[in-house]
Amino acid sequence: MAQTTMADKEICSDLLMSQKQTSSTLNTCIGESSCPNFSQNLKHILEEEHQIHADLFTAMNQRGWYPVKDAPDLDVQQAKNTYNAMQV
């Protein structure tokens, strides 16, 4: 039986996708919980998950595995304007 291994990039990508799913699930649970203590505990867990997510993203980005481009200034300003308009 042949053994297959995942490369570091694949492992990190899989971990990052798992973090995204975990955060999404926690957000749903927090929003739909009727128990304040439970919600507070989930919020603390979510903060930890966000930090793990950020650490994974940073590690991948530094290795060139998750490149991002800066948005043009005009696009940033338009997004701000749209957000501000929704706040009314």
Side-chain angles (χ1 to χ4, degrees), residues 13-31:
S13 292
D14 187 58
L15 288 170
L16 187 61
M17 292 301 293
S18 294
Q19 284 305 125
K20 291 177 182 182
Q21 181 62 44
T22 299
S23 294
S24 177
T25 301
L26 284 167
N27 278 325
T28 300
C29 290
I30 291 166

Side-chain angles (χ1 to χ4, degrees), residues 9-80:
K9 180 180 178 182
E10 292 171 309
I11 292 169
C12 287
S13 292
D14 187 58
L15 288 170
L16 187 61
M17 292 301 293
S18 294
Q19 284 305 125
K20 291 177 182 182
Q21 181 62 44
T22 299
S23 294
S24 177
T25 301
L26 284 167
N27 278 325
T28 300
C29 290
I30 291 166
E32 296 178 2
S33 174
S34 61
C35 177
N37 288 337
F38 183 64
S39 292
Q40 192 60 39
N41 287 333
L42 290 177
K43 287 177 185 177
H44 289 296
I45 294 169
L46 182 59
E47 287 178 20
E48 293 172 357
E49 296 302 319
H50 282 176
Q51 187 58 55
I52 294 167
H53 183 155
D55 292 345
L56 277 167
F57 168 79
T58 299
M60 292 180 70
N61 182 259
Q62 289 174 344
R63 289 170 176 79
W65 298 341
Y66 200 125
V68 293
K69 296 187 282 184
D70 289 337
D73 290 338
L74 180 60
D75 291 351
V76 172
Q77 189 57 49
Q78 286 176 339
K80 287 179 182 179

